[in-house]
Amino acid sequence: MTTKASERLGLLPPYLFAAIDAAKKAAIEKGADIISLGVGDPDLPTPPHIIAAGQAAMAKPANHQYPFGAGLLSFRQTVTRWYKSRFNVDLDPATEIYSLIGSKDGLTHLPLAYMNPGDTAIVPEPAYPAYNASILLAGGKTHYVPLLEKNNFLPDLNDIPVDILSTAKLFYLNYPSNPLSVVAPRSFYASVIRLAREHGFLVVHDAAYSEMYYDEPPLSFLQIPGAKEVGIEFHSCSKTYNMTGWRVGWVCGNADAVRILGRLKDNYDSGVFQAVQEAAVAALSGPQECVAEMRRIYRERRDLFVPKLRDLGWKVINPPATFYVWAHTPAGFTSAQTAERLLNEAHIVCTPGNGFGPSGEGYVRFALTVPTQRLQVALDRIGRMKW
Ligand SMILES: *Cc1c(COP(=O)(O)O)cnc(C)c1O
């Protein structure tokens, strides 16, 4: 083939999970019994009442056509009601909500809608790799801000150069955080809103894990006064209802930003399959015991895994939210070396922390996406390793 891929594609770092997946597949081919704590994809099934709603909706001919645009009014009204009851936030379904093919769809198209070549976006890291990738694909530049344990994994806002703040188009936030698993306090969001007002950037909050918590329910960015003037929030049914494969989420908040992202998307895709939107309506407006049950299962896993890993000498953060465990690597080993040894010697897949950004060096991320018995096997294997 003589036709070359675009230079912009060449700007991308290798997709983190592709490399891990290749190593994992090679080990499986050699017959290894792999325990995968790598990719953050829930192992639990979608709750039956949501599947039933999706099946019924799929049979309706009206749903077989192009969905187009912001999404079903019933979907947007359901999101409005859910935001009101969960966060006491008011959203206008007509202008402040847009359906997405999973929140990744919106998060990764946003830079194309906002950034001119050479523009800057601020990304606190370690972070979801898709933010940086989509900024680069849009011709933009990523200004990384380190998230350090000594600052409770919040960005030090005073440490960001004023010329970056004043020229940045977008400022990404993600709490509860993947991969760090921490939540952010109200005062932090308030400071970001003040900065956004002063400098005129758009705050982009990824709230995909807002329902996967073990202590206080995390805040929505939009709960903080002034948020809607400067920002948008991305949400998803993926993690809350074990619906990663269904591909449904939404963006909400500032009406201008919602419209601008919608305008871009209207040129790329033709909307979220309406049957899937109806399933999302069933998820968000139906009984929420399934969400409590999801939290109970992950809590049980966390409460097994974290203390035992600590007993084995690992320095681990006990996550207040998400199904991730962010662990320091054993002394003398890099993130990559730790991940490699875990794979080769214990047949455990984890994610090297530096794949989420330079400040992730010295950590690995475990996703608690296997049942407790398998976690116990993983712990036994780790316990037999010598570091
Ligand atoms: C899983 C995840 C999402 C959700 O992605 P969907 O496209 O909604 O499935 C968004 N942000 C982060 C950080 C995630 O880990």
Side-chain angles (χ1 to χ4, degrees), residues 40 101-105 107 128 131 174 178 206 208-209 236 238-239 244 247-248 324:
I101 309 169
S103 55
K104 189 178 185 182
D105 161 31
L107 286 162
Y128 191 44
Y131 307 150
N174 168 220
N178 170 13
D206 178 352
Y209 294 94
S236 172
S238 286
K239 310 291 164 45
T244 49
R247 311 310 303 133
V248 59
Y324 300 115

Side-chain angles (χ1 to χ4, degrees), residues 309-323:
L309 202 56
R310 282 177 174 168
D311 287 347
L312 293 172
W314 288 61
K315 218 174 133 213
V316 187
I317 291 142
N318 191 41
T322 80
F323 54 12

Side-chain angles (χ1 to χ4, degrees), residues 92-115:
D92 178 358
T95 58
E96 294 178 339
I97 300 169
Y98 213 94
S99 63
L100 299 172
I101 309 169
S103 55
K104 189 178 185 182
D105 161 31
L107 286 162
T108 54
H109 281 116
L110 191 73
L112 271 183
Y114 269 97
M115 300 183 75

Side-chain angles (χ1 to χ4, degrees), residues 16-222:
L16 177 60
F17 296 110
I20 295 164
D21 207 52
K24 173 178 141 185
K25 288 212 175 96
I28 289 173
E29 265 167 34
K30 282 192 240 152
D33 172 30
I34 294 286
I35 300 175
S36 184
L37 311 178
V39 184
D41 193 351
D43 57 313
L44 306 167
T46 306
H49 71 282
I50 302 173
I51 298 175
Q55 282 170 327
M58 211 183 292
K60 289 193 236 164
N63 286 338
H64 300 168
Q65 298 191 281
Y66 285 122
F68 287 133
L72 293 168
L73 182 59
S74 60
F75 171 78
R76 286 175 284 136
Q77 285 169 334
T78 300
V79 169
T80 296
R81 280 192 285 270
W82 186 80
Y83 253 76
K84 185 70 187 171
S85 74
R86 169 67 174 86
F87 300 118
N88 197 25
V89 167
D90 291 301
L91 291 172
D92 178 358
T95 58
E96 294 178 339
I97 300 169
Y98 213 94
S99 63
L100 299 172
I101 309 169
S103 55
K104 189 178 185 182
D105 161 31
L107 286 162
T108 54
H109 281 116
L110 191 73
L112 271 183
Y114 269 97
M115 300 183 75
N116 295 314
D119 278 352
T120 299
I122 298 170
V123 179
E125 59 78 30
Y128 191 44
Y131 307 150
N132 175 50
S134 60
I135 292 160
L136 297 179
L137 288 175
K141 286 190 298 215
T142 300
H143 180 85
Y144 276 141
V145 179
L147 297 174
L148 306 176
E149 207 161 338
K150 66 175 163 85
N151 299 329
N152 299 318
F153 294 115
L154 297 170
D156 182 349
L157 300 174
N158 298 319
D159 209 36
I160 306 173
V162 173
D163 62 314
I164 296 288
L165 288 169
S166 60
T167 54
K169 284 294 207 36
L170 306 172
F171 193 138
Y172 286 74
L173 296 175
N174 168 220
Y175 294 101
S177 160
N178 170 13
L180 304 168
S181 75
V182 294
V183 298
R186 185 178 291 271
S187 57
F188 168 73
Y189 290 124
S191 304
V192 174
I193 291 168
R194 271 198 301 279
L195 268 191
R197 278 211 181 117
E198 185 182 339
H199 296 287
F201 53 73
L202 179 72
V203 181
V204 180
H205 186 229
D206 178 352
Y209 294 94
S210 75
E211 305 315 296
M212 206 185 265
Y213 57 83
Y214 310 107
D215 304 323
E216 285 286 290
L219 298 171
S220 160
F221 168 70
L222 298 176

